[in-house]
Structure formats: structure tokens, C-alpha cells
Amino acid sequence: SSLPRCAGQSRAPPRGVAIRVIRLCGSGGAAERRSGTVAMATPVAKEASGHPDPHRSNHCTQIALRRMARLIVDYPCRVALGSLLCIFIIIGIVSTATIAIDAGGSSFRAETDSTALNFDAVTVATLDVILPPKAADVEQPERALPYGSVSLIYEAPAGADTGSMLGLTGLRAICEKEQAITSTADFRKFCLRGEGGKTCATPVSVLSLLFDADAETGLLAYDCAGITQADVDGLVERLTDAPESIVLAGTGLTQPINAAYLLPSNFGPSDTNAAVTRSLMVFGLPLAGYNNADQPSPTMKGVPLMRASAEQSGKVDAWTKDVLLPVLDDASDDVVAVRFRGTGINDVIFEGILLNDVNYVMLSLVFVFAYCWFHMRSLSLTAAGLFGVIMSLPVAVFVYAVVLQIDKFGTLNFLGLFVILGIGADDLFLFRDAYVQMGSAMEAAEARGFSFSADDRKYARMEAAYSRSATAMAITTLTTALSFAGNAVSIIPPVRSFGIFTSVLVVVNYLIVITWFPACVLAIENIKQNGCCGRRQSPAGPGGADGDEDASVDVEAVAPPATSAGAPADGTATEGENSTARALEAYFGGPHARFVDTYAKPIVGVFLVFAIVCGVAALNVETSKEPAQFLPEDHPFWRSMLLREEFEQPSRAINDGSGGSVMPATFDFELVFGVAGINKDDLDPTEAGDLGDVVWDEAWDISDRAAQQHMLDVCDDAEATLSATVLAETTACLARPLKLWLETEKDLTWPLPAARAGDTVELVVEWFDAQGPAYANPYMQQIGFSVDRSDVRFVKYIFQTGLLPFTPAAQVQPVYDDIVAFVAAQNGEAGAAHAQVLMSSFFFVMMKTESVLVQTAIICASVSVALAFCLVFAATRDLIVTAVSTLCILGVVLTVLAFMYVAGWELGIIESINLTVLVGISVDYTVHLAVAYAMHARGNRKQKMQTALAQMAISVFSAAMTTIGSALFLCLAVVLFFVRFGIFISVTLTASLVFAFLLFPAIMVLVGPEDEAEGGGGGTGDDAVDVVIQGSMKSIDDEEAAAAAGAANGHKPSRSAAAGDADSESPTDGAEDAVAADADAEPSATVAAGGVAPSGADPDDAVAADADADSATAAPSSLGDADATRTTPASGAANSEGADVDGEAGADADEGDAAAPDDAEAKAGDVVDDSQDAEGADSEGKDAGMG
């Protein structure tokens, strides 16, 4: 053997066994293959038949897999512990790495699109000059700066008879709730400071029109029980007449709020029933004990002044979570329901929702574990296998973050857990089922008269199972990984991150499964059978007392003799095997295969009609016309979002200092002077908040009179030319209040007179300061100054569209196009040379993101299908199999799109994200059957398809059940994305299963390729179990056949003469000639090497077994050290293995002692009773002395 064995385990070849040494892959090394007394001839002219054999092209790979299999057999515990050690080392490295969790908010956008670049430019410009520098040693008063807010919306619960929220019952209930909120512990330590030094600003509430504010605290003097019907009638009358004229006093906000803010849009003289009303409570910074003079400069990148102290904002958030939120949670009752959202609260609410949904993730994991246990019937194997699958997550994170140096880990990446649970279980089933099937195949061979040594059981079984399963896993791993990797081209960072991480995760899972899990299988078996992890030797040495092979040592408990479907012949299962699982093998290889064969044409016809119907439905799937919904409509938080539409005025979102808002209330866009763009060349990969460096417009000059006139014209032209949908309201046009101030306070005009143009900046600074202190200036985010206030860096106009926030992209696009056209026209005006406009809006970024998601989903699906086609063809080298596999994958895609149409799903953000993983999770099942059909099955179309189903269907079916079952638990989640993802996964995999089990085999039965060497007529029949092993080792047989053919032509191969022909000087003598059989012979053709050849044949050229004599078929011996002691029934020197009275394999006491005469003649398949060797017939009369 070319691989080292454990000490004391090297063996001399038993008598009658031919040793053949072959050169592998053209290397200088050699590997031994101990062939039993059966030599198998294989076709060497397969390529010439016009049907390329995939095994020949993968010969070196197969050899490598077999070497790995033998290494696992020899050192299972070392391989397992080595794998475990590597995993723990990697986990240790990952634990020290810095990985930023990207929640996907600001990063979930098309980052290279102009909408995102403009938005980043304006954001960075605002951060850099958000406020003019503080005067020397001047601090903001305690809590004078609005930090955040809590918005409360009141409505009557479903079925309640509360009536109007402005009725007596409603107002008293609202009063009690607001009194409870403002009375919470430490409320006065965090509320916004009130005017005139009051402790708190007065809450924005309809109750402020009923109660006076306390002169010291600023809070309302609540008297809930004192509210009378007369008070209610007076209040309604005031609000009905002119609510816009009633200004709410003492709110502390930079812009005044009138009473119309509190009323629903339907409220008026004709309808005084207010189904909803709302309140607003504002928080402030700096907190007591913090000196803002020590805060970082506002020009620090990414550190706005208001949020410079994480400690302060953290205290506000902690109080909101621990004190305020429980009060709000208990505020709703049978009279009034309180819907709320706000600073710190939103994050806490979503955190709670996600933690609740994590419970369903755990249930999914429990379900996968339970099904794996049911399938494998081994708790230890299930635990070991799923441990390896789960450990692929930290290892993938290591590759992702440490090797690939990607510092941001998107929340979408957590979906990889569900993806890998299904794929990992699939891989575990593939190996376990192949291992069980190989054991059944060897038992079936023994039932027909062939015997296997203990090493044969270990080596041949593991090599065949490992080679087949690892090859199948490798192909589906590549197709799946590349399908996910297609998302790496997305310009949306979280989608790109998800594609890269998931593709890495799939590959890592494959590597762990093919090393850790097989080693665990062998180690656990050895421990159960021998009490130790290694392979225990007999006290007298490897071969017993006399050094002979002890063929009776059965160290592997395998299933009873199997039927052609791979199930035990008696319908039972041994300990550790799943009788139900084996019954599935029998079903798919038997009744199901016969059903597909019988009704192949009708099945194809039905699927053709189905595909046409699905195609028509898929074409009717439209992009979303409704805003993306992430929570159920009846969820309190989402209800608070929906109720905003009930009010005429938009919600007041208190700025957090970064230019953003707590929750966007209106669909706004900005026109900015002075900003040209953003430079992202020198981004800091370790700084998540680094958006780049703003590029200032060097041509911008506010002192230019033409630019000043153009600033006025932009507002006027926008209002005159843009439609009401595009421009519903001009929120902020700074040139207008500046012009008014100059006219009233300075007796100047705007544009300024030429003589005063040089004083422009000085006058603008004076105007800005006159509007109030910086922390309360309503224009503080509409204008930015240089550090020394000698220059105006930018001016920002704000306009409100007629659209609602998060309007679908299809409806936003026309508005966006109109604004872009307007900006282009304005920048082309004569006076715009020094006042170019840049347009920015968060909602245009979202619009582009949604559009790109749809495009990315389509592109990724197309690229993934193309990659799957190429990989399947590279593996099978058969165009028909590849084309049919691709057809099935496309059918799955159409089915899912048709389901979306039937379910009423539109193509929005959630659906587009789901489509990016569609092909990646749908390719496996069809590809598994395609690989089994093309690479492992032999015979005509029917037989190949039957074999493929018998081998693979059980693994595919079980993998589908685990993934679908785990996905269904997601349907119980609260977040609609998880719900739809679970439904999407279930539908996709169900469709994949149906196409793989019905359409693919039906087409293969009709037009699939078949083995031309057999003329389509040879078959596996009841010998399918033998062909399984022979087919899995075919690449070695082909190599040997080619070497023997070369030797026959005078090319001397570098291998030894056959055992039993030691005197022959020709390397082609004896058993070596057995490899030079006719290329048309089946691999199942057999011969007794070293024994008695069929009648008329030269004993040294023992090749003449009939290729059609299936009864003479023997499973091949293992590659390498596995000593074969099995014989054909034609060999008089056979070793008879008999069963003892307990039904277990007994020792062959007289191995090879009785030899038939040299001139004895026997046909393959004859049973020769030898009284000396037929020992061990059991008490039930079974003939255990075969051969």
C-alpha cells in the first residue's frame, strides 16, 4: 500500500490472490490493488463508442477520494480529532476578529448608483458642517437640544364602543395614559427642556388645549376626572372652526405646531368624529453632568454634534427600554389602544420581535435533528453530523472575514443558517445512505456465493461509498455555491455579502462533511464493536495464529442480504439502520420507477402543459404597487405606521442630528447648492460610518448676484412647473426667509446690490444667528458654513412630494424622472454657472434599490442556470442529461413565479431577495439524480433510471423533508420577511422534488443515454448491487485495462506478474491477461485467478468468463490493503465461509487447503460442493458453504 497502516496491520497477501500494481495519474508513485480471485475486465473502448465515460476524465479525482477513504478507515479518530482541532482553532481566530454587524438599513441600497452617491454626498456635507462652531466656552443648556421623540397614536380597539377620541370617554382615557407616561421615574431627567427654564417642554397633545402647563415643570396639570362634556364640546368647536390658527405653545420645537397636527384628515364641520388622535413627547441632550464643550468637533467625520456622546444617548435609550417601554406596553386597554414608536423604542421593539422569531429558528433546528435521528437511527451519528454542519458557520465566517477581509456581516447572511441546514442534511444523508447501500450490496454479493474479508468490508465499502457520495456532493456543492456567488455582482452590499458568504458556507460545509462525518461514522462503529476507536487486531497478529487471513472477523454490522432495490431481503433492518428509510429505497427503486417507466409519455405531457400554464402566470407577475410590508397589519408597531396616513399633516420626526429622522414621515427630496458629489476612493474598511469625502462645488459662489437670483428662481420654477404629485409643498426654501429679513431688517434686496455683494456671507451669518441659538435654529440643517464662518459651504432646499413614504418603485420612477429633468433644466440656466443644483432623497435611493433588486434577481437566476448547465455537463459529459437537468431547474423557477402570481405576491423588496436564492436551492435534487444516472448507473435507460432512483431518491427525499420542515416553522414568525422566506423555500423545494422525481426520470426513460457497450440490452437486473460497487470503482478498472492493452502491444507496464504465475517472465502472463478482456465485456465478467479456468481455456490466461453471465458477477475488492479472500463458485480452491449456528460468520478453518484437480472444469455460477470446505452450514439447513 502507498498509505501507511497502523502498527501491526500490514498483511501478506493470502494464497490465490493476484496482486496488481498500477501507476496512478502518470506519477512516479504506485498503488496496490489486491484483487480477489475474481478479476474484472472493463471496456477500454468506451470513448470510441461516441459516448464519453465521465469516470475516465475523473480518474485522478477518484484515486484521491479512495486514498482519503482509506485514510479515514485507518485513522478515523485521528481524522475526526484533527478536523475538530482545526475547527476550534478557527473559532478562536474568529473570536478575536473585528466583524461589524450590518443591520442593512443605510447599507441596503444600490451603493454605486447616482441616487445613493448624491445622498451620501449631502449626508457627509451635513455632518461636516451641521452646525457652526460653538462660541468659546459656550455650552448648550441642559437638555436644550432635541435628541429624539416618542410618537403616540390613539384609536379605539376593534369592537369597542369608545366612539370619537375627542369624546368624553376617549379624552379621559387619553388623559390617564399621558399622565402615567409623564409620571414615570426619571421622565424629567430626559425630557426636552422647556421654554423659560421649565423642567420639560409641554407635550404636543390635544390635552394641552384643556389643561394649563405647570409653571415649574412645564408639564400639563392633568385632571382626568375633571373633564366634563362641556369641556369636550368647547374643544371640538374650537378644532372645527380653524385648527391651523391654534398654535400649541411650549413645545420647545424649532418649528411651531398647530392643532391641525392632532386631527385626522376627515375631521371638519361635516364630520366631528375623530377616530384617531396623536401626541408627541420629545427628549433632549445634553444630560445633566455632561459638558458639551468637551464634545468632539462637529467637523469630525461621522460624528454629528447631537450624537457625539454615545454615553448620553445610551442612557436615554436604556431608560426608554427599561422604564418607558413597559408603561407603553401596558397602556392599551378596552377603551383606547395606544400605538407608539420613537427613538430607542423602534430598535427595542424589533429586537424583541427578532428574539421571538429566533425561537422558531431553534424549533427548525430541533426538527432537523429529529428527522436526521429518525433517518439514521443513531443519536451519536446525528449529533456528530449536525455538529459538523453547524460548525461550518464559524469556519465560513473565518474565510469571509479573515481570509477575504470583508469586515461587514449583513443580517441577510443569517439566512445562511436555514440554507446550510438543508444542504448539510442533504450531504449527511448522501454519505450515510451510500455507506448503508454499499453494505447491502456486499451482503447481496455474499448471498450469491462471494465472501469478503474484514478489510474488504471496511475498505471496499468505505471507498465505494465515499467516492460516490463525495463526487455527488462536490457537483451539487459547486452548482449551489456558484449560484449563490452570482449575487456577488450585486451593487447592493447586503445582497453581495449574502452571496459571497453563502457560497463560502456551502463549500466549507462540503469539506467538513467529507472529512469529519465519515471519520465519525467509522470511529463510532469501532467504539461500539471493539470498545476502542482504532481497528482492533487479533492477539496472534493480523492473520491469526498461522498468519492466514481470518475472513470470519466481521467488524462491521451491515444489513441483511439486500434485494435489488437495496432493502433487506427479509424486510427487516439491523440495529442502527432505518427500516422505513430502506423501505423508501425499495419504493423509489421499485414501484415508483415502474410507474415512471409505464407512464413516461403522459408525465412529460402533463408537465409540458403545466409549464405553459406556469409560464403564462409568471409573465403576469408585476412589480409591487404597495409599500413593502415587514410586519402584519394588526401588529401594534406596524399599525402605528399605517395610522400616520389618517392625518392631514405629516408626522413630526425629531432630528437626531445626522440629518436623518427617527422615522421618515413624508416623501421629501432636497435640492442642494454647493455640493458636487462624493469621493469614495479612500474609504476606511474598518469604519462602518465612513461614507467617503464630500466633493465641494468649486464654482459655487453665494456672493454672485446671478447665483442669488437663480436661488430664488429655483423655488418659483419648481412650484410653477412641477405637478402636485411631484411637488405637493415647498418645505424649506432658504432664499425666501433670507430675502424677507434683508428687506425688513436691513432695507436691502435679494439679490444684494452690487455694492454689497462682498458682504453676502457676513449678512447671511447675521441672519442665521438672528433666528435663535444654534440648538434651536429652524434653519440649522438647511445651511452649512466653513469652520471660520467665512464661507457658505452649502444651501439646502427641501420639497415634499405627493407620495407616501416607501411608495413602490414603479410609482416613484415617474416622479423621479420629472425631478431629474427639472434639475437638468435649472442647471442649464444662464444664472446657474455659480449655483448648480444637486438632487438628493432617501426615497429615491430606496426606489433604485428596489429596481436593482428585481434586476439582480433576474440576472442572478439566469447566470445561476447557465452555471448549473456548465457544471452538470462538465460532470456528466452528456448533453442530453445536462439539457434535461436544466429544463427541470427552469421548470422550478416558472413554478415558483406562478405561485407568486396565484398567491397575489408582487415583485417587491422581499420577493426579490427570495428570488436571488431561488436557483441556488433548487438545483441539488435534479443534479443528484442526473449525476447518479450518468456516472453510477449501468444498463439501458430503464435500468439506469431505476438504479439512480434506488441510490439517490432516499437521500434527496430526506433532505427535502428536513429543509421544508424547518422552513415551515418560519411561517409562524412575526416578521413577514421570514414568513415569506419560509413559504418560498417550501414551495421551491416541493417543486424541485416533483420535477426531480417525475419529469427528469420520465424524460430519461424516453430519450436518456444508455450504455452502448451493452447495446442497451445488458442490464443490472437483480445484480444492481454488484454494479453499484463495480461502477464506483470503474475508473481504476479502466486504467488497468488500458495498461494491460498496452502490455499486449509490447509496452511493458510497470507492474508485477500475477500471483500464482511467479515463474512467468512476461508481465502479461497469468492473471495479468485477465485485464485484456474484450472491451465489449461487462465489468461483471469474472474469472478465477489462480484457480481453474473454464473449459478449454489456458489457466494462465484466465479471462474467458462470459460477459453475459451475470450470475458470475462478483463485487470487486477494495483498492489497496483490503485483502480479498472471496472466490467464485468456479474455483475449486475456494474458501468456504459458513455461518455458525448463531447465524454469524464463522472462521474458515481450512482456507485453501482443499484444491480441485488442475483439470477440473466448471462453468461460472456452478456450485461445487467441497466436503472439506463446506463447513458451517447452520442448523436451519442453509447452504453457507457456497463455492
Side-chain angles (χ1 to χ4, degrees):
S1 170
S2 60
L3 286 177
R5 298 285 299 276
C6 295
Q9 289 187 351
S10 59
R11 300 171 182 243
R15 295 186 297 274
V17 176
I19 306 299
R20 294 186 290 184
V21 180
I22 59 175
R23 187 176 301 276
L24 301 180
C25 300
S27 63
E32 293 183 6
R33 178 184 177 192
R34 289 196 183 99
S35 174
T37 54
V38 180
M40 295 188 298
T42 59
V44 294
K46 187 79 172 178
E47 301 284 351
S49 67
H51 226 71
D53 185 2
H55 296 279
R56 289 184 57 84
S57 62
N58 298 329
H59 179 70
C60 295
T61 303
Q62 296 298 315
I63 295 300
L65 291 176
R66 283 175 176 73
R67 286 184 169 179
M68 184 63 193
R70 294 175 58 226
L71 181 66
I72 291 173
V73 173
D74 285 333
Y75 309 109
C77 284
R78 296 185 187 181
V79 173
L81 292 176
S83 302
L84 194 61
L85 179 62
C86 292
I87 290 173
F88 284 155
I89 291 175
I90 288 174
I91 292 176
I93 297 174
V94 169
S95 65
T96 62
T98 301
I99 305 173
I101 302 298
D102 186 356
S106 60
S107 66
F108 203 89
R109 63 213 183 126
E111 62 177 357
T112 59
D113 185 76
S114 61
T115 57
L117 295 176
N118 288 354
F119 183 77
D120 288 348
V122 174
T123 300
V124 175
T126 306
L127 291 175
D128 280 354
V129 291
I130 188 172
L131 287 174
K134 301 183 294 291
D137 299 327
V138 175
E139 303 175 16
Q140 288 85 12
E142 179 187 332
R143 294 178 285 105
L145 186 66
Y147 165 68
S149 62
V150 172
S151 177
L152 308 172
I153 299 180
Y154 307 100
E155 68 169 343
D161 57 355
T162 306
S164 174
M165 289 296 100
L166 299 182
L168 181 61
T169 303
L171 286 175
R172 286 180 174 177
I174 293 173
C175 177
E176 292 172 356
K177 299 178 189 314
E178 289 192 8
Q179 186 177 26
I181 293 172
T182 56
S183 300
T184 54
D186 297 333
F187 179 86
R188 299 176 188 183
K189 293 182 180 180
F190 298 99
C191 61
L192 179 68
R193 189 176 200 64
E195 299 173 0
K198 295 179 180 179
T199 305
C200 293
T202 303
V204 177
S205 168
V206 68
L207 297 176
S208 66
L209 302 177
L210 290 177
F211 305 121
D212 294 330
D214 184 85
E216 182 179 351
T217 66
L219 299 176
L220 297 176
Y222 296 103
D223 181 13
C224 303
I227 301 176
T228 65
Q229 185 61 45
D231 295 330
V232 173
D233 294 339
L235 175 64
V236 171
E237 183 178 355
R238 291 177 61 192
L239 294 176
T240 304
D241 290 341
E244 293 84 359
S245 64
I246 304 174
V247 178
L248 304 180
T251 62
L253 301 179
T254 56
Q255 299 198 13
I257 297 181
N258 58 54
Y261 174 82
L262 307 171
L263 304 175
S265 56
N266 67 297
F267 187 86
S270 61
D271 186 2
T272 59
N273 179 41
V276 294
T277 187
R278 60 185 172 184
S279 300
L280 184 70
M281 299 181 182
V282 186
F283 306 133
L285 292 181
L287 300 178
Y290 290 90
N291 184 353
N292 265 19
D294 297 332
Q295 297 302 317
S297 167
T299 58
M300 285 186 62
K301 180 181 295 185
V303 186
L305 181 63
M306 296 181 186
R307 306 204 69 170
S309 174
E311 185 177 0
Q312 290 187 71
S313 60
K315 285 189 174 183
V316 177
D317 294 344
W319 173 79
T320 301
K321 175 182 178 181
D322 299 334
V323 179
L324 181 59
L325 188 57
V327 175
L328 295 175
D329 284 334
D330 296 335
S332 295
D333 53 31
D334 295 337
V335 178
V336 172
V338 182
R339 315 303 185 189
F340 51 88
R341 66 185 189 281
T343 308
I345 292 180
N346 298 344
D347 294 338
V348 173
I349 291 174
F350 274 105
E351 179 182 331
I353 294 172
L354 291 175
L355 288 176
N356 175 76
D357 289 350
V358 165
N359 295 329
Y360 299 112
V361 175
M362 299 307 298
L363 287 176
S364 297
L365 185 59
V366 170
F367 174 81
V368 172
F369 186 93
Y371 193 95
C372 290
W373 188 3
F374 163 77
H375 182 89
M376 293 189 283
R377 291 296 172 89
S378 171
L379 181 61
S380 54
L381 284 182
T382 300
L386 288 182
F387 172 81
V389 171
I390 294 174
M391 286 300 101
S392 61
L393 286 168
V395 177
V397 171
F398 168 80
V399 177
Y400 176 87
V402 179
V403 178
L404 299 181
Q405 291 291 300
I406 304 175
D407 66 304
K408 297 177 183 178
F409 194 84
T411 51
L412 277 182
N413 294 359
F414 291 101
L415 293 178
L417 173 62
F418 290 96
V419 173
I420 208 59
L421 278 179
I423 294 175
D426 181 20
D427 291 346
L428 296 178
F429 294 150
L430 278 175
F431 173 77
R432 178 60 178 168
D433 292 335
Y435 190 71
V436 171
Q437 289 168 0
M438 293 306 151
S440 299
M442 299 177 77
E443 288 288 344
E446 286 183 329
R448 289 194 300 279
F450 305 116
S451 62
F452 295 91
S453 69
D455 274 354
D456 276 334
R457 290 187 180 281
K458 288 288 186 184
Y459 287 98
R461 184 183 186 186
M462 175 58 75
E463 288 166 10
Y466 190 85
S467 174
R468 191 186 86 184
S469 59
T471 302
M473 280 187 249
I475 295 170
T476 53
T477 294
L478 283 175
T479 55
T480 305
L482 290 177
S483 296
F484 283 119
N487 291 302
V489 301
S490 175
I491 62 174
I492 301 175
V495 175
R496 181 172 64 246
S497 170
F498 172 75
I500 296 173
F501 175 74
T502 310
S503 59
V504 170
L505 181 61
V506 172
V507 174
V508 168
N509 171 76
Y510 168 75
L511 296 176
I512 290 179
V513 169
I514 66 170
T515 52
W516 161 260
F517 186 61
C520 288
V521 171
L522 265 295
I524 291 171
E525 286 184 352
N526 289 342
I527 290 173
K528 287 183 177 180
Q529 295 159 4
N530 302 330
C532 63
C533 191
R535 297 173 61 245
R536 177 176 292 175
Q537 301 299 318
S538 62
D546 58 356
D548 286 340
E549 174 79 4
D550 184 4
S552 67
V553 179
D554 186 359
V555 297
E556 171 65 29
V558 295
T563 65
S564 61
D570 58 359
T572 63
T574 59
E575 181 182 0
E577 299 298 342
N578 186 347
S579 59
T580 304
R582 306 281 74 82
L584 285 175
E585 284 180 326
Y587 166 74
F588 284 112
H592 183 79
R594 291 193 295 271
F595 171 80
V596 172
D597 178 54
T598 304
Y599 300 102
K601 292 182 179 179
I603 290 174
V604 173
V606 170
F607 271 90
L608 178 61
V609 174
F610 178 75
I612 294 174
V613 173
C614 289
V616 173
L619 292 175
N620 289 308
V621 176
E622 299 178 351
T623 55
S624 179
K625 299 182 181 63
E626 298 293 334
Q629 183 176 342
F630 296 95
L631 293 172
E633 290 187 358
D634 59 350
H635 190 277
F637 179 79
W638 195 256
R639 183 67 182 161
S640 72
M641 299 282 291
L642 297 178
L643 288 176
R644 294 187 309 174
E645 303 175 13
E646 299 292 327
F647 296 91
E648 183 69 28
Q649 292 189 13
S651 299
R652 288 296 182 94
I654 304 305
N655 293 322
D656 62 8
S658 63
S661 299
V662 174
M663 185 65 67
T666 58
F667 194 132
D668 297 337
F669 68 93
E670 300 168 346
L671 299 182
V672 184
F673 301 94
V675 177
I678 194 165
N679 181 4
K680 292 180 175 285
D681 293 339
D682 300 320
L683 289 180
D684 183 357
T686 63
E687 176 54 59
D690 189 0
L691 299 177
D693 299 308
V694 63
V695 178
W696 300 106
D697 184 0
E698 298 298 332
W700 157 249
D701 184 5
I702 196 174
S703 300
D704 183 78
R705 297 185 73 249
Q708 293 173 5
Q709 181 61 48
H710 184 64
M711 291 173 66
L712 279 175
D713 294 342
V714 167
C715 294
D716 296 337
D717 292 347
E719 293 171 348
T721 60
L722 296 177
S723 67
T725 302
V726 178
L727 178 58
E729 180 183 343
T730 300
T731 305
C733 184
L734 182 140
R736 288 176 175 175
L738 174 60
K739 178 176 181 293
L740 180 62
W741 180 82
L742 289 170
E743 292 173 348
T744 58
E745 300 294 333
K746 297 295 183 179
D747 197 22
L748 295 172
T749 61
W750 184 270
L752 290 170
R756 298 295 303 271
D759 300 330
T760 300
V761 175
E762 181 181 348
L763 288 169
V764 171
V765 170
E766 185 180 352
W767 163 79
F768 180 84
D769 290 342
Q771 308 309 308
Y775 57 83
N777 195 312
Y779 302 101
M780 66 179 184
Q781 293 192 41
Q782 298 174 30
I783 188 168
F785 300 94
S786 60
V787 174
D788 58 3
R789 307 186 81 178
S790 64
D791 189 19
V792 175
R793 302 310 302 266
F794 73 84
V795 171
K796 182 192 301 181
Y797 291 173
I798 304 174
F799 301 90
Q800 179 183 332
T801 70
L803 301 175
L804 292 174
F806 305 105
T807 299
Q811 299 177 38
V812 176
Q813 187 68 50
V815 173
Y816 172 77
D817 293 339
D818 288 347
I819 297 175
V820 169
F822 171 78
V823 170
Q826 290 298 309
N827 286 336
E829 295 288 340
H834 298 288
Q836 291 287 294
V837 174
L838 181 141
M839 188 268 290
S840 169
S841 173
F842 166 77
F843 294 105
F844 290 147
V845 177
M846 296 303 297
M847 172 207 71
K848 196 64 180 180
T849 299
E850 183 177 340
S851 301
V852 169
L853 274 174
V854 175
Q855 297 170 5
T856 300
I858 297 173
I859 293 173
C860 287
S862 303
V863 171
S864 298
V865 170
L867 288 173
F869 179 93
C870 296
L871 288 171
V872 174
F873 181 75
T876 63
R877 297 177 62 184
D878 190 287
L879 189 58
I880 295 177
V881 173
T882 303
V884 175
S885 302
T886 307
L887 183 66
C888 291
I889 295 172
L890 290 174
V892 173
V893 174
L894 290 178
T895 302
V896 174
L897 291 175
F899 170 82
M900 291 176 56
Y901 173 76
V902 173
W905 294 4
E906 295 176 329
L907 202 55
I909 292 177
I910 296 177
E911 294 76 18
S912 299
I913 294 174
N914 287 336
L915 287 179
T916 60
V917 306
L918 173 58
V919 177
I921 62 176
S922 64
V923 299
D924 282 9
Y925 303 157
T926 300
V927 171
H928 278 319
L929 289 178
V931 170
Y933 181 93
M935 299 181 66
H936 301 301
R938 297 291 178 267
N940 58 28
R941 295 173 183 138
K942 174 181 177 181
Q943 294 161 341
K944 286 165 69 73
M945 196 64 254
Q946 181 182 13
T947 301
L949 286 170
Q951 288 181 2
M952 285 294 177
I954 181 176
S955 303
V956 169
F957 179 82
S958 296
M961 291 302 100
T962 55
T963 311
I964 294 173
S966 62
L968 287 177
F969 282 102
L970 288 179
C971 299
L972 303 175
V974 175
V975 179
L976 290 185
F977 175 80
F978 292 149
V979 175
R980 291 206 171 181
F981 185 77
I983 296 173
F984 182 86
I985 293 291
S986 301
V987 171
T988 301
L989 295 187
T990 301
S992 301
L993 206 61
V994 172
F995 274 86
F997 282 172
L998 290 176
L999 182 60
F1000 179 79
I1003 298 179
M1004 287 295 99
V1005 167
L1006 295 175
V1007 298
E1010 53 189 356
D1011 291 338
E1012 296 183 9
E1014 299 174 358
T1020 55
D1022 290 337
D1023 297 327
V1025 288
D1026 295 330
V1027 176
V1028 166
I1029 295 182
Q1030 294 171 6
S1032 66
M1033 302 185 69
K1034 183 171 172 10
S1035 61
I1036 298 179
D1037 298 334
D1038 285 349
E1039 185 73 16
E1040 294 170 349
N1049 293 328
H1051 303 288
K1052 186 174 181 179
S1054 58
R1055 53 176 159 182
S1056 64
D1061 194 23
D1063 295 336
S1064 173
E1065 296 180 358
S1066 171
T1068 59
D1069 285 347
E1072 286 300 330
D1073 291 345
V1075 219
D1078 182 7
D1080 290 334
E1082 271 296 293
S1084 58
T1086 59
V1087 59
V1092 180
S1095 177
D1098 186 349
D1100 289 336
D1101 297 326
V1103 190
D1106 184 2
D1108 292 330
D1110 290 337
S1111 60
T1113 303
S1117 63
S1118 66
L1119 173 67
D1121 300 346
D1123 297 342
T1125 60
R1126 59 188 180 277
T1127 67
T1128 64
S1131 174
N1135 304 323
S1136 300
E1137 286 188 24
D1140 60 14
V1141 293
D1142 292 327
E1144 298 179 353
D1148 186 356
D1150 298 313
E1151 179 182 14
D1153 288 348
D1158 291 341
D1159 57 350
E1161 295 181 4
K1163 292 182 179 180
D1166 291 344
V1167 179
V1168 179
D1169 289 329
D1170 187 279
S1171 59
Q1172 298 181 40
D1173 288 332
E1175 295 180 21
D1178 63 14
S1179 59
E1180 296 180 0
K1182 295 182 180 179
D1183 184 7
M1186 308 260 326

